[in-house]
Amino acid sequence: MVKYYGYLVSDSWLHQRALDVGYPPAKTPEDSNDIISLASIDVMAATGVLSYARVRRIKTPKGKYFWCIALACDDPITVGERMSTRPPPEAKYKALKEALGKDGPPHWLSNSETWRYISAYDYFLSIILTGIYWLWKPAREPSKRLRASWSLELRGHLVVQQIQVMVKYFGYLITEGWLHQKALDLGYPPAQTPEDSYNIRSAVPRNVMAAAGVLSYARVRRIKTPKGKHFLCIALACDDPITVGERMSTHAPPEANYKALKEAMGKDGPAHWYRAR
């Protein structure tokens, strides 16, 4: 059983932290996930532990779940972590301890359950493949079954690809240069690992969305330009939200509603419609 060395953090503390730094209250489950991600990364950045700390879900011996700001892991290879196996000296996490209002050092906590998040793409693909399988169940012979299963998987993959290509998002593209400069402006340390870069891509756009007043309805999505390049996009609307399971408006908002976002991103004109990747 893998253990993490860190501090437990409750959902209520993270939501209060978000309110304290100016984020709007969560109105939907997706807003709540965004708030938890933003607040935890915000406190890690503010206390200087973002480059090596991770946020993980922990189950206590009493069966209660908490978030944990983990500073070390006793078996990082098993769970694919890029973390130290040794607890850092107290001087390195003193600011974090004070920010969390803790009196003593962190503890070793067992990660009794592994939490995974799946994308709408993966979820939708699994539904399609399951449905196709039961509609056209392969023959009994092992060789035919294998060929049929592979054929169905390819068909399902192509169906999802075609659906995704048809969906469009209305928003602004995010360039890597702007993203990393904005991270430095907000006080985040430069990215040193792939996970640091992932945290920046996750947190910085949402910081900007919160400051611009669009966090309650905007989403960060991956899109593909007509020239075949991939970008992150702060999406304000979706032309077919039901198909991809989005809780978004199908109508582009008036420019006045996202003027602060436009200015924060240094854009000159209105947002545009882009195809999903």
Side-chain angles (χ1 to χ4, degrees), residues 37-226:
S37 174
L38 284 166
S40 56
I41 292 174
D42 178 83
V43 71
M44 287 157 58
T47 56
V49 301
L50 183 64
S51 63
Y52 65 92
R54 304 290 181 260
V55 179
R56 296 294 180 259
R57 194 68 165 168
I58 295 296
K59 184 179 180 182
T60 67
K62 294 183 179 181
K64 293 184 178 181
Y65 291 97
F66 290 91
W67 294 104
C68 172
I69 296 182
L71 306 171
C73 177
D74 70 336
D75 188 6
I77 296 176
T78 298
V79 287
E81 299 279 17
R82 295 189 177 186
M83 301 181 70
S84 172
T85 57
R86 298 179 180 179
E90 188 175 357
K92 293 193 68 175
Y93 62 80
K94 184 179 179 181
L96 176 67
K97 181 175 75 171
E98 294 174 352
L100 295 174
K102 304 294 185 179
D103 297 324
H107 298 283
W108 283 103
L109 305 160
S110 297
N111 183 25
S112 57
E113 291 196 7
T114 302
W115 285 65
R116 298 288 185 216
Y117 294 90
I118 63 171
S119 65
Y121 172 85
D122 295 327
Y123 178 70
F124 192 47
L125 176 59
S126 67
I127 292 175
I128 288 179
L129 292 178
T130 302
I132 293 176
Y133 174 80
W134 287 109
L135 285 174
W136 292 284
K137 195 171 181 180
R140 293 182 180 179
E141 293 83 353
S143 59
K144 290 183 179 180
R145 182 180 301 156
L146 182 62
R147 288 197 298 270
S149 177
W150 177 249
S151 175
L152 292 175
E153 184 176 350
L154 286 177
R155 261 184 275 168
H157 183 68
L158 290 173
V159 169
V160 174
Q161 277 194 327
Q162 290 171 357
I163 291 174
Q164 280 210 322
V165 167
M166 291 187 289
V167 176
K168 291 183 179 180
Y169 290 101
F170 179 80
Y172 285 119
L173 297 184
I174 301 173
T175 63
E176 287 291 319
W178 176 86
L179 186 69
H180 285 273
Q181 184 57 53
K182 194 68 177 179
L184 295 175
D185 294 343
L186 292 170
Y188 294 103
Q192 297 179 350
T193 67
E195 187 153 9
D196 290 345
S197 295
Y198 174 81
N199 287 337
I200 286 175
R201 293 190 188 98
S202 174
V204 172
R206 290 176 174 83
N207 270 280
V208 173
M209 289 154 59
V214 300
L215 185 63
S216 63
Y217 64 91
R219 304 287 181 262
V220 179
R221 295 295 179 258
R222 194 80 170 171
I223 64 92
K224 184 177 181 180
T225 66

Side-chain angles (χ1 to χ4, degrees), residues 170-179 182 205 208 212 223 225 231-236 255 258-272 274:
F170 179 80
Y172 285 119
L173 297 184
I174 301 173
T175 63
E176 287 291 319
W178 176 86
L179 186 69
K182 194 68 177 179
V208 173
I223 64 92
T225 66
F231 289 91
L232 287 177
C233 171
I234 295 182
L236 305 170
E255 191 169 346
Y258 61 86
K259 182 180 179 181
L261 177 67
K262 181 176 76 171
E263 293 175 351
M265 299 187 71
K267 303 294 185 179
D268 297 324
H272 297 284
Y274 297 98

Side-chain angles (χ1 to χ4, degrees), residues 238-277:
C238 177
D239 70 338
D240 189 5
I242 296 176
T243 298
V244 288
E246 298 280 18
R247 293 186 177 184
M248 300 180 70
S249 172
T250 57
H251 301 288
E255 191 169 346
N257 287 17
Y258 61 86
K259 182 180 179 181
L261 177 67
K262 181 176 76 171
E263 293 175 351
M265 299 187 71
K267 303 294 185 179
D268 297 324
H272 297 284
W273 286 100
Y274 297 98
R275 292 189 184 279
R277 62 173 180 166

